[in-house]
C-alpha cells in the first residue's frame, strides 16, 4: 500500500462489503455518541463555577485552569487527528482513548464528593476572604482529572466526524452527497446535545451537587461509547495510510540540506527504482509544503483573532455568579444561558442555508455567499462587539454593586443574569464563523491530499490561542498592580471589587488590532491568488 492510498476494511481486517458495511446504518451509532459527548461536554461551561465555588480558586487561577483545559482538548484533537491518519484506525482511537472522558469525570466526582479531596466548604460569595483555596494534592488531582478528560474528549472530537465520513465512498457521487449530509446532521446532533447539557446537566451540577453532576456525565458518556461499540460490525474502517503533515515535515527537513534534491532522488531510487515515482513524490510534497507556507501568515493572524475568545466566555460565565439568577422560582446558572443562542442558531440554520446564502451568492458571486476569509473576519467583528457589550454590562453591574453597598461581598447584585445573553450570542457567532471559516479556508485552498488535516490545523491554532490566554490574563493582572501594594484588575475572588470592565475593554482593543492585522494578510493572500490565477489563465491561452 502506497502512502496516502485509502484502503477500507471491516472489524476483522477483511475487505469491506458495500452491502453490509458503512452507509447510513453505520452512522446512526455515531450520531448517538456525538450527541451524548456534546451533552456532557457542554456542561463543562460551568466548570469555572466549580473551580470558584468548590475549590475556592481566585479569578485569575480559575480562568487559567479553564484556558489550559480548552487548549489541551484542542491540541489533543489535533494530535488524535494525526495519529488516526498515520498510526491506528479511528475506531481503535475512539475506544482506547474515549474511556478517558469517563475516567476524568469519575475523578472529578470523587474529588467533589469526599471532603478530604477538596477544601472545607465555605460561602465564598459571601465571605470571599475567609475561604481556603485548594492546594497540594487536591490541586494535583484536579489537573490530573482534567488532563485525562482532555485526552479522551480531543480524541472523540477529532475521530467521530472522520469515522462517519469514512462510511461513504468518495468515488460514488451519490454517497459523496450522503457524506455531506452526514456532516450537516452531525452538526445538528452536536447542537442538540449541547442544548440538553446546558439546560439540564448544568442545572443539576449547580443545584443537586457537583458530585452527582460529574457522575451523571461519566455514565452518559459510557452509555454513548457502548452504543457506538455495538455498531462495530457495520463500520468501514480506513487503514492508516500516513498523514500529509508527515510528508510536509519531510520536505522541511530535507530542504534544510543544501543537497535536498539529490538526497530525495537517491533515497527514493533506492526504495522504488522508479525515477517517475521519485519525481511525483518529491513534487507533491514540495507543492503541499509551499501551500502551507503561503497560508502561514493567515494562520498566525487567526491565532491572534482566537486569543480573546476563551477569556471572554470564561469571565462572562464567572461574573454571572454575582448577578441575580432568578427566573421565577428557578435559579438559572449563567452557563445555561449559552443554550439560548445555541437554540437560535439551530432554528436559523435552514433560513441561512436556503435564504441568506442565496441572497449573498447573488451579491458576491461566491458559492457559499461569503468566502472563508470573510467568515473569519465577520467572526472577529462579532468578537469585538461582544467585548464592547461585556464592557458596558460589567460597568453597569459594578456601578449597581457600589450603589447597593455590595463591594465587600462577591454576589447579590440586583441585576438580571439575562443581561449576559447578548454577549453570549455574539461569542457563539464568533465561534461558528471564525473557527468554521478557518477549516473552510484550508479545505478550499489546500491540495486534495491535505484537506483531511484542516480540522487538525484549526484545532492546533485554537488550542495554542487558549493556552496563551493563561499567560495573557496573568500578565495583565500583574501589570495593573500599583506600586504601593494595590491589587490588579482581577485580583482575589470578589467580582464586585474587580475592574473586569477595564479588562473586557482591553480584550476588545486587542481583538480590534488582531482584526486589522488579519485583514492585511487576508487581502494580501487574496491578491496573490488572483495574480497566480491570472498568470495561469494567460499561459493556457498562450498554449492554445
Amino acid at each position: 500500500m502506497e502512502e496516502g492510498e485509502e484502503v477500507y476494511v471491516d472489524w476483522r481486517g477483511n475487505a469491506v462489503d458495500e452491502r453490509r458495511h458503512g452507509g447510513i446504518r453505520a452512522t446512526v451509532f455515531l450520531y448517538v455518541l456525538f450527541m451524548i459527548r456534546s451533552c456532557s461536554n457542554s456542561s463543562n461551561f460551568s466548570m469555572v463555577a466549580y473551580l470558584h465555588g468548590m475549590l475556592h480558586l481566585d479569578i485569575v487561577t480559575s480562568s487559567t485552569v479553564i484556558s489550559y483545559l480548552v487548549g489541551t482538548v484542542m491540541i489533543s484533537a489535533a494530535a488524535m487527528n494525526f495519529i488516526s491518519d498515520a498510526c491506528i484506525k479511528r475506531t481503535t482511537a475512539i475506544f482506547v482513548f474515549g474511556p478517558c472522558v469517563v475516567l476524568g469525570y469519575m475523578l472529578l466526582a470523587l474529588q467533589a464528593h469526599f471532603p478530604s479531596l477538596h477544601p472545607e466548604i465555605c460561602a465564598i460569595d459571601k465571605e470571599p476572604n475567609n475561604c481556603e483555596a485548594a492546594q497540594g494534592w487536591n490541586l494535583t488531582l484536579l489537573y490530573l482529572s482534567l488532563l485525562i478528560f482532555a485526552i479522551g474528549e480531543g480524541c472523540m472530537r477529532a475521530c467521530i466526524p472522520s469515522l462517519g465520513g469514512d462510511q461513504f465512498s468518495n468515488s460514488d457521487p451519490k454517497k459523496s452527497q450522503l457524506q455531506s449530509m452526514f456532516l450537516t446532521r452531525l452538526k445538528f446532533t452536536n447542537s442538540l446535545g449541547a442544548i440538553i447539557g446546558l439546560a439540564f446537566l448544568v442545572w443539576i451540577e449547580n443545584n443537586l451537587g457537583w458530585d452527582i453532576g460529574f457522575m451523571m456525565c461519566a455514565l452518559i458518556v459510557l452509555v454513548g461509547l457502548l452504543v457506538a461499540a455495538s455498531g462495530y460490525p457495520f463500520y468501514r474502517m480506513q487503514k492508516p495510510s500516513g498523514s500529509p503533515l508527515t510528508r510536509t515535515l519531510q520536505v522541511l527537513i530535507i530542504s534544510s540540506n543544501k543537497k535536498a534534491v539529490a538526497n530525495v532522488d537517491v533515497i527514493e531510487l533506492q526504495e522504488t527504482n522508479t525515477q517517475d515515482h521519485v519525481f511525483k513524490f518529491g513534487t507533491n510534497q514540495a507543492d503541499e509544503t509551499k501551500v502551507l507556507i503561503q497560508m502561514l501568515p493567515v494562520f498566525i493572524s487567526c491565532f491572534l483573532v482566537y486569543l480573546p475568545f476563551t477569556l471572554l466566555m470564561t469571565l462572562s460565565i464567572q461574573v454571572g455568579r454575582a448577578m441575580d439568577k432568578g427566573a421565577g422560582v428557578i435559579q438559572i446558572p449563567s452557563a445555561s444561558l449559552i443554550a439560548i443562542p445555541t437554540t437560535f442558531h439551530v432554528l436559523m440554520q435552514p433560513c441561512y442555508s436556503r435564504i441568506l446564502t442565496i441572497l449573498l451568492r447573488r451579491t458576491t458571486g461566491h458559492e457559499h455567499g461569503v468566502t472563508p476569509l470573510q467568515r473569519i473576519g465577520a467572526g472577529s467583528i462579532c468578537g469585538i462587539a461582544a467585548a464592547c457589550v461585556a464592557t458596558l454590562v460589567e460597568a453597569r453591574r459594578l456601578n449597581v454593586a457600589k450603589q447597593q453597598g455590595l463591594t465587600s461581598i462577591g454576589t447579590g447584585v440586583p441585576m438580571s443574569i439575562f443581561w449576559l445573553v447578548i454577549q453570549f450570542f455574539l461569542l457563539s457567532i464568533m465561534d461558528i464563523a471564525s473557527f468554521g471559516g478557518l477549516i473552510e479556508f484550508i479545505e478550499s485552498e489546500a491540495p486534495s491530499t491535505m484537506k483531511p488535516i484542516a480540522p487538525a490545523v484549526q484545532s492546533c491554532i485554537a488550542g495554542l490561542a487558549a493556552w496563551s490566554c493563561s499567560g495573557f490574563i496573568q500578565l495583565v493582572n500583574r501589570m495593573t498592580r500599583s506600586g504601593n501594594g494595590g491589587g490588579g484588575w482581577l485580583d482575589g475572588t470578589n467580582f464586585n471589587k474587580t475592574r473586569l470592565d477595564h479588562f473586557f475593554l482591553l480584550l476588545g482593543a486587542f481583538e480590534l488590532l488582531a482584526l486589522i492585522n488579519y485583514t492585511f494578510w487576508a487581502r494580501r493572500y487574496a491578491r496573490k491568488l488572483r495574480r497566480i490565477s491570472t498568470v495561469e489563465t494567460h499561459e493556457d491561452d498562450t498554449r492554445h
Side-chain angles (χ1 to χ4, degrees):
M1 181 179 69
E2 295 183 2
E3 186 177 16
E5 181 182 354
E6 296 182 354
V7 176
Y8 293 92
V9 296
D10 65 5
W11 65 287
R12 291 190 176 93
N14 302 322
V16 296
D17 183 347
E18 297 294 338
R19 295 170 298 179
R20 297 179 54 195
H21 303 115
I24 296 176
R25 177 175 58 179
T27 61
V28 172
F29 304 96
L30 301 178
Y31 287 139
V32 174
L33 176 58
F34 207 67
M35 183 177 70
I36 285 177
R37 176 212 69 86
S38 176
C39 179
S40 60
N41 184 59
S42 65
S43 68
N44 293 335
F45 280 114
S46 67
M47 181 71 71
V48 69
Y50 169 73
L51 300 177
H52 182 73
M54 177 67 75
L55 300 183
H56 308 156
L57 301 183
D58 60 44
I59 297 170
V60 173
T61 305
S62 298
S63 300
T64 298
V65 171
I66 294 300
S67 298
Y68 277 130
L69 173 61
V70 173
T72 305
V73 169
M74 292 293 187
I75 296 297
S76 174
M80 291 300 172
N81 193 298
F82 171 80
I83 291 172
S84 63
D85 280 340
C87 303
I88 60 177
K89 294 195 291 286
R90 294 186 177 98
T91 48
T92 304
I94 291 173
F95 295 115
V96 169
F97 296 103
C100 289
V101 175
V102 179
L103 179 58
Y105 277 129
M106 290 179 66
L107 290 175
L108 288 171
L110 291 174
Q111 183 172 38
H113 182 75
F114 291 104
S116 60
L117 298 179
H118 60 75
E120 184 178 350
I121 295 177
C122 171
I124 191 170
D125 291 329
K126 297 180 180 179
E127 300 175 313
N129 299 321
N130 298 328
C131 297
E132 180 185 359
Q135 54 188 341
W137 163 244
N138 290 345
L139 207 55
T140 301
L141 178 60
L142 171 69
Y143 290 143
L144 178 63
S145 305
L146 296 180
L147 176 61
I148 293 173
F149 164 82
I151 292 173
E153 168 62 21
C155 175
M156 289 199 286
R157 180 188 293 257
C159 294
I160 294 175
S162 298
L163 178 60
D166 290 343
Q167 306 313 305
F168 306 98
S169 174
N170 292 324
S171 59
D172 188 338
K174 292 183 178 180
K175 292 189 175 181
S176 182
Q177 185 178 7
L178 289 175
Q179 184 183 52
S180 178
M181 291 177 60
F182 162 77
L183 294 175
T184 301
R185 291 170 179 171
L186 195 68
K187 292 178 182 178
F188 174 79
T189 58
N190 181 69
S191 298
L192 181 61
I195 293 170
I196 295 172
L198 290 167
F200 296 103
L201 287 179
V202 170
W203 185 87
I204 290 172
E205 289 172 345
N206 284 270
N207 292 275
L208 300 184
W210 291 101
D211 51 350
I212 296 176
F214 288 140
M215 188 55 67
M216 284 193 65
C217 289
L219 292 175
I220 288 172
V221 175
L222 180 60
V223 170
L225 288 170
L226 292 175
V227 170
S230 65
Y232 214 78
F234 305 108
Y235 297 141
R236 294 171 82 242
M237 305 175 192
Q238 182 180 346
K239 296 183 70 174
S241 57
S243 171
L245 288 177
T246 305
R247 299 191 291 274
T248 301
L249 290 174
Q250 288 174 347
V251 170
L252 293 175
I253 293 172
I254 292 175
S255 61
S256 64
N257 192 314
K258 294 181 180 180
K259 299 180 179 180
V261 177
N263 287 345
V264 171
D265 287 342
V266 170
I267 294 172
E268 293 301 322
L269 283 171
Q270 289 176 347
E271 293 181 355
T272 63
N273 293 322
T274 307
Q275 188 172 0
D276 291 340
H277 177 74
V278 176
F279 178 76
K280 181 179 179 181
F281 176 80
T283 302
N284 288 343
Q285 283 186 315
D287 289 343
E288 291 174 354
T289 306
K290 183 179 179 181
V291 169
L292 272 185
I293 293 174
Q294 290 175 343
M295 291 180 172
L296 193 58
V298 177
F299 292 162
I300 297 174
S301 300
C302 287
F303 163 81
L304 298 175
V305 166
Y306 288 171
L307 196 147
F309 176 82
T310 302
L311 289 175
L312 282 168
M313 183 68 77
T314 302
L315 291 169
S316 295
I317 293 172
Q318 282 185 276
V319 79
R321 290 176 54 84
M323 302 174 73
D324 179 13
K325 299 186 286 294
V329 296
I330 301 176
Q331 294 291 305
I332 301 178
S334 54
S336 294
L337 294 180
I338 303 174
I340 296 176
T342 303
T343 304
F344 180 81
H345 291 318
V346 171
L347 296 176
M348 288 298 297
Q349 188 61 36
C351 297
Y352 177 80
S353 58
R354 297 176 184 178
I355 300 176
L356 186 57
T357 300
I358 295 175
L359 294 176
L360 289 172
R361 187 184 301 154
R362 292 175 180 174
T363 304
T364 63
H366 192 269
E367 180 183 0
H368 301 292
V370 294
T371 67
L373 292 175
Q374 289 171 338
R375 277 191 65 183
I376 297 171
S380 181
I381 292 174
C382 288
I384 296 171
C388 292
V389 170
T391 301
L392 295 175
V393 171
E394 179 61 10
R396 185 179 189 278
R397 190 193 69 83
L398 290 173
N399 186 48
V400 172
K402 184 177 180 180
Q403 291 176 351
Q404 298 292 326
L406 299 173
T407 54
S408 61
I409 62 175
T411 187
V413 179
M415 181 174 170
S416 175
I417 196 174
F418 285 97
W419 280 86
L420 302 177
V421 170
I422 297 177
Q423 60 208 63
F424 281 141
F425 181 80
L426 291 168
L427 287 172
S428 64
I429 296 177
M430 179 185 180
D431 184 7
I432 295 171
S434 289
F435 287 54
L438 181 57
I439 295 177
E440 282 189 9
F441 169 68
I442 300 171
E443 290 179 340
S444 62
E445 301 297 331
S448 58
T449 54
M450 296 186 66
K451 294 183 187 298
I453 70 169
V457 174
Q458 188 274 334
S459 294
C460 187
I461 294 172
L464 293 175
W467 275 349
S468 300
C469 288
S470 59
F472 183 87
I473 191 172
Q474 292 182 51
L475 177 63
V476 171
N477 195 52
R478 188 177 298 116
M479 292 182 65
T480 53
R481 288 175 182 156
S482 59
N484 58 0
W489 284 352
L490 302 175
D491 268 341
T493 59
N494 185 353
F495 275 94
N496 293 343
K497 280 189 175 181
T498 65
R499 295 308 314 188
L500 190 57
D501 53 341
H502 293 173
F503 187 73
F504 281 146
L505 185 60
L506 177 64
L507 289 177
F510 183 94
E511 184 69 28
L512 177 60
L513 294 176
L515 175 61
I516 294 173
N517 175 73
Y518 166 79
T519 303
F520 171 80
W521 291 108
R523 293 181 64 180
R524 183 173 180 177
Y525 181 87
R527 287 196 300 268
K528 184 181 293 185
L529 283 185
R530 285 196 293 270
R531 287 198 300 269
I532 294 174
S533 177
T534 303
V535 170
E536 290 179 348
T537 303
H538 178 72
E539 290 178 350
D540 290 340
D541 293 340
T542 303
R543 292 192 191 100
H544 294 299

